[in-house]
Amino acid sequence: MALNLAHQIGTLAGTQIVAEVTTGEQPLLAPVNVSGVRKVPLASLRCNAPGENVSPPMLTPPLTPRSAANRSGVMSPMLRADLSAACQAYGTLAPLETADESTSAAAVAWKEGGKKEEKKGVPVYVMMPLDSVTYGNTVNRKKAMNASLQALKSAGVEGIMIDVWWGLVEREAPGVYNWGGYAELLEMAKKHGLKVQAVMSFHQCGGNVGDSCTIPLPKWVTEEMDEDPDLAYTDQWGRRNYEYVSLGCDTRPVLKGRAPVQCYADFMRAFRDSFKHLLGDTIVEIQVGMGPAGELRYPSYPEANGTWKFPGIGAFQCYDKYMLSSLKAAAEAAGKPEWGSTGPTDAGHYNNWPEDTPFFKKEGGGWNSPYGEFFLSWYSQMLLEHGERILSSATSIFDGQGLKISVKIAGIHWHYGTRSHAPELTAGYYNTRYRDGYLPIAQMLARHGAVFNFTCIEMRDHEQPQDALCAPEKLVKQVALATAAAQVPLAGENALPRYDEYAHEQILQASLLDIDGSPVDREMCAFTYLRMNPSLFHPENWRRFVAFVKKMNEGKGARRCWEEVEREAEQFVHVTRPFIQEAAVALTQ
């Protein structure tokens, strides 16, 4: 009889783990001899010396996984139900009839010897699929989701990140909330002992990097935007962006008599009241969405319809009537009413480069003129005030619940090596060669005790197009120093899917925050891995991921090399490898 996942983990940990069983099935309690588990001799390991460069390997699979939308195939009847369900979770395969809906809740985090140890290092969370909850307000692919959560817990993952979509929960009418699907998903996380980072997703899903499905804003919100198109962010050519309600009307009662910030506050309050029994225990963090892709920024680089392509500079989003009204008032207050009629008209188009434009060019560019300083100060301040308003509500609503509050900031690393940092400026980050644009953001978060969550942690400078002067490592360092100066906790995410050791090593190093000027004992407070999908369960990727989680959990002071940790990971995953391999093959058929 094949061992279920809980018993396989218990075997490797040297402990007995009792799994849930269905009626008529006898629990397996007998100790199991582990002599059959393949072990890699230590003598075969080669540990790289500290500072020794490691050549980047070929990535398996590619950085951007193929869509599973059109995959089909039939699972072998020999494939064990719980792991096969995890592997097929995000394809279009029919659910296995043999899958046990009550897969074990007793799977424990992988630790040497199976012993509990004091929490240390950087806890790893994993983002759930964007469509984890369906339009019918149910858990998507429930059996597969259950098995996947068990697998993540067994690998030592701290928890998961879930998008709680405004467009699903409050879809039909203002103030009418349907938490179906989320209630079940959160209970599943609790059952498996996983913590949850809940994202208050007030943006549209679809149109950004990695968006695999479309979830619009609530129907009644889009109806209001249809009647008043100026509720949408607008560029200088009149193009409307419906990903997120323009911050220019934050406090105006434009959504069926409520202001947008009031809608966001009411939503968060309803979430608190519905899941109060899970707050502080299962739900440990609320990430408050503040713009497109849930990030505190303007939608300056929209991918939808090919409007923007990497590494274009993007475009300012301040041409709806509400933003222009604010700009006019600011210009008059500054004694320059002529500056208040419009934004820059010489800042190029979405796909230009800085030197293509009079406003962003390095010599004599408008960005460095008195007008440029006025406009960029106003534009970035509007974004900071937007964040301040929503954070004030969030911290008040969740006060005393034992939760962290976090905000995500985009890792805009292209053209970072230029003087103007044009893509950051159009997104609302007033960061140039002569001005730190991330310190004011960190200081704003500090006033509310919030966590600064930053992306692109996995990237290295040389991996990016150098003609576009990309510098993600330098950007991460700048953000780390800004958060240290503001005494704000820093958390990270990878911006793109990566499964290779080279990216894992970069994340590990970045998370330790070993930067001159940063406190010696400081490290990231958490890292969230993008994303749970079929590629993660590819056998080699899963082996690397298990080792990566182990290294992250060890934190500063760990001296063991990747090869040694991977040997342990190999022992851990060996018993499940045949099942995962077969599932991976089935997913690609």
Side-chain angles (χ1 to χ4, degrees):
M1 173 181 279
L3 298 179
N4 66 19
L5 182 59
H7 283 84
Q8 293 168 18
I9 296 164
T11 295
L12 290 170
T15 58
Q16 296 180 9
I17 303 173
V18 181
E20 298 176 7
V21 295
T22 56
T23 303
E25 181 183 357
Q26 296 299 316
L28 297 175
L29 296 177
V32 183
N33 191 312
V34 300
S35 60
V37 177
R38 184 168 67 89
K39 298 181 179 181
V40 181
L42 278 172
S44 68
L45 300 177
R46 177 184 178 273
C47 295
N48 296 298
E52 182 179 348
N53 291 327
V54 181
S55 299
M58 295 296 289
L59 302 181
T60 307
L63 285 181
T64 305
R66 294 173 296 166
S67 170
N70 296 317
R71 294 172 181 166
S72 62
V74 179
M75 287 286 181
S76 163
M78 298 286 292
L79 186 58
R80 199 191 62 236
D82 54 1
L83 279 180
S84 68
C87 295
Q88 71 170 313
Y90 312 107
T92 57
L93 298 172
L96 291 177
E97 294 182 0
T98 56
D100 182 0
E101 194 167 315
S102 60
T103 46
S104 172
V108 296
W110 167 50
K111 296 181 176 70
E112 294 174 313
K115 297 178 181 178
K116 289 187 176 181
E117 54 191 8
E118 186 178 352
K119 286 287 185 182
K120 60 180 180 179
V122 180
V124 175
Y125 291 76
V126 175
M127 294 184 201
M128 292 293 96
L130 296 169
D131 62 348
S132 292
V133 172
T134 70
Y135 273 100
N137 297 97
T138 61
V139 174
N140 208 2
R141 300 167 294 250
K142 180 181 175 181
K143 290 183 179 180
M145 180 70 74
N146 197 50
S148 300
L149 294 182
Q150 182 181 353
L152 292 178
K153 179 63 177 178
S154 76
V157 166
E158 181 78 7
I160 58 176
M161 174 178 277
I162 301 172
D163 282 284
V164 183
W165 295 104
W166 188 26
L168 289 181
V169 174
E170 199 180 355
R171 177 173 68 242
E172 297 300 331
V176 179
Y177 306 99
N178 186 339
W179 302 106
Y182 288 108
E184 190 174 9
L185 186 55
L186 290 168
E187 288 296 335
M188 288 171 66
K190 178 182 178 181
K191 167 187 170 183
H192 291 291
L194 290 165
K195 307 298 184 184
V196 174
Q197 299 169 317
V199 184
M200 304 290 101
S201 295
F202 299 120
H203 61 286
Q204 168 189 291
C205 180
N208 277 294
V209 177
D211 284 353
S212 57
C213 62
T214 299
I215 302 173
L217 298 180
K219 182 170 62 175
W220 52 275
V221 174
T222 58
E223 288 172 355
E224 293 282 29
M225 296 175 91
D226 289 340
E227 289 187 18
D228 182 3
D230 282 292
L231 297 179
Y233 282 114
T234 308
D235 63 23
Q236 70 179 93
W237 304 280
R239 179 189 176 278
R240 309 286 188 178
N241 186 299
Y242 295 93
E243 294 179 63
Y244 188 84
V245 180
S246 170
L247 63 82
C249 56
D250 264 357
T251 59
R252 299 173 183 260
V254 295
L255 299 180
K256 305 296 184 184
R258 289 187 298 167
V261 291
Q262 185 61 53
C263 293
Y264 306 148
D266 291 344
F267 184 92
M268 290 188 285
R269 192 174 294 107
F271 180 86
R272 178 201 65 190
D273 294 344
S274 295
F275 300 108
K276 208 160 196 173
H277 60 292
L278 298 176
L279 299 181
D281 181 17
T282 297
I283 303 171
V284 296
E285 181 178 328
I286 300 293
Q287 186 173 109
V288 188
M290 296 190 175
E295 297 166 336
L296 178 62
R297 65 172 176 89
Y298 294 99
S300 56
Y301 50 97
E303 281 200 310
N305 304 315
T307 302
W308 171 87
K309 293 181 180 178
F310 177 83
I313 59 176
F316 291 113
Q317 306 291 312
C318 60
Y319 295 86
D320 63 77
K321 68 182 181 184
Y322 302 105
M323 292 291 287
L324 287 175
S325 175
S326 174
L327 177 60
K328 180 181 179 181
E332 290 173 351
K336 295 287 186 178
E338 66 274 17
W339 288 350
S341 60
T342 184
T345 57
D346 58 352
H349 202 275
Y350 287 95
N351 294 309
N352 283 138
W353 286 31
E355 289 304 306
D356 298 335
T357 73
F359 189 80
F360 293 120
K361 65 181 183 180
K362 63 182 180 182
E363 297 290 350
W367 64 276
N368 205 24
S369 68
Y371 165 73
E373 292 175 10
F374 158 78
F375 173 79
L376 294 170
S377 294
W378 166 80
Y379 190 68
S380 60
Q381 185 61 33
M382 288 287 284
L383 190 66
L384 287 172
E385 291 174 2
H386 172 68
E388 192 99 50
R389 282 189 286 268
I390 300 178
L391 266 183
S392 294
S393 294
T395 52
S396 174
I397 290 166
F398 293 108
D399 183 45
Q401 303 296 325
L403 298 167
K404 291 181 180 178
I405 303 293
S406 67
V407 175
K408 184 159 73 168
I409 310 299
I412 304 175
H413 59 84
W414 52 104
H415 301 294
Y416 183 87
T418 64
R419 295 183 189 179
S420 64
H421 293 231
E424 293 163 89
L425 299 184
T426 57
Y429 306 155
Y430 192 178
N431 191 56
T432 70
R433 184 170 295 181
Y434 314 118
R435 188 182 190 279
D436 187 345
Y438 298 99
L439 182 58
I441 297 173
Q443 291 169 334
M444 184 268 288
L445 298 182
R447 288 193 290 274
H448 298 278
V451 174
F452 192 121
N453 187 292
F454 198 61
T455 62
C456 80
I457 304 300
E458 84 283 11
M459 295 181 178
R460 300 179 193 245
D461 292 353
H462 71 81
E463 294 176 326
Q464 306 299 320
Q466 289 308 294
D467 55 345
L469 299 180
C470 301
E473 291 177 89
K474 296 181 180 66
L475 174 58
V476 170
K477 180 178 180 179
Q478 181 186 350
V479 166
L481 291 173
T483 53
Q487 298 184 335
V488 169
L490 177 62
E493 296 180 3
N494 49 313
L496 297 172
R498 291 286 292 268
Y499 308 98
D500 57 294
E501 295 162 348
Y502 199 56
H504 292 165
E505 179 66 28
Q506 179 63 19
I507 293 168
L508 177 65
Q509 292 303 317
S511 69
L512 298 179
L513 300 180
D514 287 329
I515 299 170
D516 292 341
S518 188
V520 175
D521 60 347
R522 186 173 186 245
E523 55 189 352
M524 285 188 180
C525 62
F527 179 81
T528 305
Y529 184 87
L530 183 152
R531 174 182 312 274
M532 190 168 82
N533 60 23
S535 295
L536 180 59
F537 293 103
H538 183 283
E540 282 302 302
N541 293 342
W542 183 249
R543 176 182 61 80
R544 296 187 192 109
F545 178 74
V546 170
F548 163 70
V549 172
K550 178 65 174 175
K551 287 288 284 185
M552 290 289 282
N553 286 342
E554 289 179 347
K556 283 189 174 180
R559 291 291 179 264
R560 299 191 303 152
C561 62
W562 276 104
E563 288 85 349
E564 184 180 353
V565 175
E566 285 205 341
R567 177 185 63 82
E568 295 176 1
E570 184 74 17
Q571 295 178 25
F572 174 75
V573 303
H574 179 65
V575 292
T576 61
R577 179 173 294 168
F579 307 107
I580 294 176
Q581 285 177 331
E582 189 169 354
V585 170
L587 281 168
T588 59
Q589 291 177 346

